[in-house]
Amino acid sequence: MWELVARSLEASTIFLFAALGELIDQRSGVLNVGLEGLMLFGGTAAFITAQTTGSHALGFLAGLALGGLLGLGHGFFSITLRGDQVVSGMGLWILSFGLTTYLGSPYTGPLGLGRIPSLWGLSPFFPLGVALVAITWLLLFRTGLGLAIRSAGENPAAAEASGIPVTSIRFLCVTLGGMLAGLSGATYTLSYNPVWNYNFLMGWGFVSLALVFFSMWNPWILLAGASLFGIMWQLSLSPELILPGVLSRYVWRTVPFAITIPILCIISTPWFRTRWGLAKPEALGRPYAKG
Amino acid sequence: MRLGRYELTLEPRPAPPAIFTALTAVVAILLALALSSFLFLSSHTRLIDAYRAVFSYAFFNPHGVLATVHRSIYLLFCTYAFLVPFRAGLWNIGLPGQVYAGGLAAFAVPFVLRAHDPQTLPLPPGLLIVLMIAAAAAAGAATGGFAGVLRAKLQVNEILVTMMLNSILFWLVAYMIKEGGPFMSATGEGESFGLPSSLHAPLLLGVPVTAALALGVAVLLDLLFAKTALGYRIRAFGENPAAARYGGIIPVALSLLVFLLGGAFAALAGYHYFAAVPGVYKIPGNYGYYGDLGFYGIIAALIARGSSLGAVPIVVLFAGLSVGARFAQGELRLPFGVDYALLGLLMMTFVASHVLYHFRFAWRRIPSEALQSVPTELPEG
């Protein structure tokens, strides 16, 4: 039982890292729908680096670096050029999907390094995730920088007028967000499931993106949502633990995705949106033109 | 950026001329091809040989040409499936899911009517084929329309919903054709039962009838957007939803309509691939590969900037490239996924060309007054 819980929590850290990065992005007003692409690239870079150098640490660094770099690229397009953020995000995703399939395929198979040591069977990434949630919450709601980030996402013109460098703040956030997405991908390929195969994420990134909307942009609610989805994901992989012999295992695999849709609907109802509207960054997805 | 007496800035282009649209598309594709040279560098083959292998197989080898034609039809339907909602400003990335829905519905017709045994056809085969196509289109429309309704009624993000539907339908197909699922083949090899030969889509000059359908739709869609009130409404809604609403356009009906159409087109791609391509006529175990290939439809529609006729040559080129790249991959012993890598590169050059389409680099001479240096010596006194 503990094993299942520990494994679920490890799965949830992958959702959590990526979604936390996206949350910081969105709080500053930048929407990155290419989250899955950043994770694919981060995960593949981490896997290839770790396998060639034999070092987990270098792998994680590669994942972080590439994630940050791609986040920066998204920032260049959406902040500097004020392009359509959805076009850029979707572009990043398809670019990653295509290139990682090609670059990773010679490495198809297990990582072949020792497992990352666990604490009483629990992956060390879960406590790291909880710590990151606490840090993000403190950063966003208890520091001047956090106030600057939130105001850049709510009303960039007013923020700029009060002396906040909106462009730099947004660049900082997309880079941080990209690094966290890269970390999430690296955690997947180096720890959770250290095997590279074609399109290994199969929708984790999009579920993480949905989680940010569910969280009402609050890191603590995000933690709860990610944990819930981690458990659900793990159960969908081994349904025999609760309902042995009921339905095909393939049908169970659809459950986490199928549940996401009604939740998305509920949070979009006018009844819910009266609450939601208050939390959604006002300037989300809108480019900011100084002047 | 300042360079001496000149300043380099990026400024918005007011209204790019039509020729410019075509030019950016050509540049984006050529640039992606140039970048893909890097993929071939690892193969220890001369670059020119690699390209020759790709193009000669795709467009001159008899097998390759047929494969290119079949794939073009598939990708054309995928392109329309993305293009129609995109003209209304909505992103249908549920192409794989809608393709699977179409395939499942098409195979459900012979399954339900017990027609998968060639001896016991309950209805004339022609009627059954029409039924299969209609069922596929209806299932795809329902899958797409679901996302459209949620978008219209509740403002639920259509990217997320269609992506979730992709995963759901992917696993549903696995359930139907694998491990004793209802559609599993008698040999139990993790693929669906094969269609009896009387239910294969008829061929016209060696090409499935779906080809005529795909080309006809290309003409009709461009006419729809250029000449009809409905097309105008869709475009207006895509350009500015708020203004469209003031103009009396009903967002709910429109979002639903474009997604119904989009889903139906993707499902026809599914029908074409699983039930009309000679040599297939079943849902193969690697159906996921064909589903994901549908993403080429996104990039084709984007590069064609929403013109369905404009998309035809682009799609034929992409189909040839992906068929040829797959062939060259075996021939030149390249890693798996050259075709997907090309897809990624095309997306990258498209986003870059998108910038050049909307912006231009401007060299400006900085007025000499602005450059005048501050006197270095203090005035007397």
Side-chain angles (χ1 to χ4, degrees), chain B residues 53-75:
Chain B
V54 171
F55 280 96
S56 64
Y57 182 76
F59 297 108
F60 298 103
N61 178 306
H63 294 287
V65 170
L66 262 185
T68 302
V69 169
H70 293 144
R71 186 159 293 182
S72 301
I73 301 168
Y74 176 78
L75 291 184

Side-chain angles (χ1 to χ4, degrees), chain A residues 33 36 77 81-82 84 86-88 90-91 93-95 97-99 101-102 105-106 198-199 202-203 206-207 209-210 213 248-251 253-254 257-258 260-261 264-265 268-270 273, chain B residues 10 39 42 91 93 146 150 154-157 159-161 163-165 167-168 170-172 174-175 178-179 292 295 298 334-338 340-341 343-345 347-348 350-351 354-355 359:
Chain A
V33 290
E36 172 130 339
F77 187 81
L81 300 179
R82 300 195 287 276
D84 186 328
V86 177
V87 172
S88 164
M90 285 280 104
W93 166 58
I94 293 187
L95 169 74
F97 170 69
L99 282 188
T101 297
Y102 177 76
S105 77
Y198 164 70
N199 196 15
M202 290 210 55
F206 287 97
V207 172
L209 183 61
F213 293 101
S248 151
R249 66 193 178 98
Y250 294 124
V251 175
R253 292 298 293 272
T254 65
F257 304 106
T260 305
I261 296 177
L264 274 173
C265 294
S268 306
T269 53
R273 242 189 291 166
Chain B
L10 211 57
L39 305 178
S42 61
W91 285 76
I93 60 165
F146 181 60
L150 293 185
L154 295 169
Q155 296 291 309
V156 180
N157 187 315
I159 292 178
L160 286 176
V161 174
M163 198 66 203
M164 295 300 130
L165 287 172
S167 300
I168 292 172
F170 176 86
W171 292 115
L172 276 185
Y175 162 68
K178 292 182 180 175
E179 293 182 9
D292 290 345
F295 290 134
I298 298 183
L334 289 168
F336 169 82
V338 181
Y340 284 129
L343 175 70
L345 291 172
M347 196 68 201
M348 190 165 77
F350 166 73
V351 172
H354 187 76
V355 172
F359 295 91

Side-chain angles (χ1 to χ4, degrees), chain B residues 96-114:
Chain B
Q98 291 148 13
V99 164
Y100 305 147
L104 285 181
F107 276 71
V109 171
F111 179 78
V112 171
L113 297 177
R114 310 236 163 272

Side-chain angles (χ1 to χ4, degrees), chain A:
Chain A
M1 189 61 200
W2 168 241
E3 208 175 303
L4 176 75
V5 173
R7 190 85 179 132
S8 304
L9 291 181
E10 182 170 10
S12 68
T13 52
I14 293 156
F15 291 124
L16 184 64
F17 288 152
L20 205 56
E22 180 75 18
L23 186 143
I24 298 174
D25 256 12
Q26 295 196 3
R27 273 286 182 177
S28 78
V30 182
L31 176 73
N32 187 354
V33 290
L35 193 57
E36 172 130 339
L38 268 61
M39 291 165 72
L40 273 172
F41 243 131
T44 305
F47 190 89
I48 295 177
T49 312
Q51 196 168 65
T52 22
T53 62
S55 152
H56 281 116
L58 284 179
F60 277 106
L61 275 181
L64 277 169
L66 195 55
L69 213 63
L70 290 172
L72 212 58
H74 180 63
F76 175 72
F77 187 81
S78 57
I79 304 169
T80 310
L81 300 179
R82 300 195 287 276
D84 186 328
Q85 300 183 2
V86 177
V87 172
S88 164
M90 285 280 104
L92 261 183
W93 166 58
I94 293 187
L95 169 74
S96 310
F97 170 69
L99 282 188
T100 56
T101 297
Y102 177 76
L103 297 173
S105 77
Y107 299 86
T108 303
L111 180 62
L113 295 179
R115 294 302 291 247
I116 292 170
S118 58
L119 314 161
W120 302 287
L122 180 66
S123 143
F125 296 102
F126 185 70
L128 176 67
V130 177
L132 279 176
V133 166
I135 293 171
T136 307
W137 181 79
L138 280 173
L139 171 82
L140 283 177
F141 298 102
R142 290 291 181 273
T143 67
L145 178 62
L147 186 63
I149 293 173
R150 285 184 291 138
S151 52
E154 297 291 345
N155 191 336
E160 189 84 44
S162 60
I164 291 167
V166 173
T167 306
S168 320
I169 291 277
R170 285 189 168 182
F171 261 109
L172 175 76
C173 290
V174 285
T175 313
L176 266 180
M179 287 168 73
L180 279 169
L183 174 67
S184 159
T187 311
Y188 186 98
T189 54
L190 297 186
S191 167
Y192 174 72
N193 186 13
V195 178
W196 196 95
N197 48 41
Y198 164 70
N199 196 15
F200 54 92
L201 282 179
M202 290 210 55
W204 285 67
F206 287 97
V207 172
S208 306
L209 183 61
L211 277 172
V212 180
F213 293 101
F214 301 167
S215 75
M216 297 183 284
W217 294 269
N218 179 325
W220 292 110
I221 303 180
L222 185 67
L223 175 64
S227 307
L228 199 71
F229 265 78
I231 294 169
M232 203 150 61
W233 191 276
Q234 218 51 49
L235 284 178
S236 79
L237 288 180
S238 31
E240 67 281 357
L241 292 175
I242 9 175
L243 289 169
V246 183
L247 293 176
S248 151
R249 66 193 178 98
Y250 294 124
V251 175
W252 288 105
R253 292 298 293 272
T254 65
V255 169
F257 304 106
I259 287 185
T260 305
I261 296 177
I263 302 184
L264 274 173
C265 294
I266 292 171
I267 64 164
S268 306
T269 53
W271 163 77
F272 199 92
R273 242 189 291 166
T274 41
R275 269 193 68 117
W276 193 53
L278 295 176
K280 184 181 178 189
E282 197 60 39
L284 182 61
R286 257 184 274 147
Y288 166 62
K290 206 196 278 197

Side-chain angles (χ1 to χ4, degrees), chain B residues 191-264:
Chain B
E191 54 185 35
S192 81
F193 61 87
L195 287 178
S197 56
S198 49
L199 295 188
H200 296 178
L203 299 177
L204 296 172
L205 311 168
V207 175
V209 277
T210 38
L213 202 59
L215 291 176
V217 171
V219 178
L220 287 181
L221 276 183
D222 262 2
L223 281 178
L224 171 79
F225 287 119
K227 298 282 178 215
T228 68
L230 178 65
Y232 170 74
R233 286 198 194 104
I234 294 176
R235 281 187 296 138
F237 187 70
E239 296 286 335
N240 189 338
R245 206 156 37 234
Y246 289 129
I249 290 165
I250 307 163
V252 178
L254 210 67
S255 307
L256 177 61
L257 181 76
V258 291
F259 264 101
L260 283 174
L261 273 175

